[in-house]
Amino acid sequence: QVQLVESGGGLVQPGGSLTLSCAASGDVNDLRDMGFFRQTPGKDREMVALVSRSGGYNLGNAVRGRFSITRDNAKNTIDLQMKNLRPEDTAMYYCWSYYRGSDVYGRGTQVTVSS
């Protein structure tokens, strides 16, 4: 089993920055891609950013140019650096990975962008 725990959410003003972190524990040797998804009430979960074990990454269209993602394989962590935040970035952000054929999500951390 793999467990994912997010941290770093909070309230930030428009134009501000925030970094989310995710720590993986358990059977981490089988982890491949990791990333963050986000969701607001009444909407589907949206891919924000993905990163492979080798560091290759993919960013969602809505965040490209503003967000970046990095990975530390030694610590089994990923970080999502968010800049120039907008009110529409307000959402619950979930850490994600794919383990033995199944999606695994953390419990989520709330990001609110508001003045």
Side-chain angles (χ1 to χ4, degrees):
Q1 293 287 344
V2 169
Q3 295 79 42
L4 304 173
V5 178
E6 305 92 342
S7 61
L11 173 65
V12 61
Q13 292 186 343
S17 301
L18 204 61
T19 296
L20 304 184
S21 298
C22 174
S25 61
D27 193 7
V28 295
N29 288 331
D30 280 351
L31 281 180
R32 296 294 180 260
D33 290 355
M34 295 181 67
F36 283 92
F37 285 70
R38 67 186 183 185
Q39 190 170 23
T40 55
K43 292 188 177 180
D44 292 336
R45 197 165 287 187
E46 174 190 21
M47 188 277 286
V48 177
L50 303 175
V51 61
S52 69
R53 289 187 69 90
S54 64
Y57 63 89
N58 186 24
L59 299 171
N61 290 336
V63 306
R64 196 166 292 135
R66 300 185 296 121
F67 292 13
S68 61
I69 188 166
T70 55
R71 181 168 179 164
D72 186 330
N73 290 323
K75 296 180 179 180
N76 299 308
T77 59
I78 60 172
D79 288 332
L80 180 70
Q81 295 89 20
M82 305 184 292
K83 298 180 180 180
N84 192 19
L85 283 159
R86 305 167 179 168
E88 53 264 38
D89 294 317
T90 296
M92 184 70 79
Y93 284 70
Y94 297 92
C95 185
W96 166 89
S97 190
Y98 193 73
Y99 175 74
R100 294 188 180 180
S102 296
D103 291 320
V104 179
Y105 290 96
R107 291 189 173 184
T109 185
Q110 177 69 35
V111 172
T112 302
V113 184
S114 175
S115 55

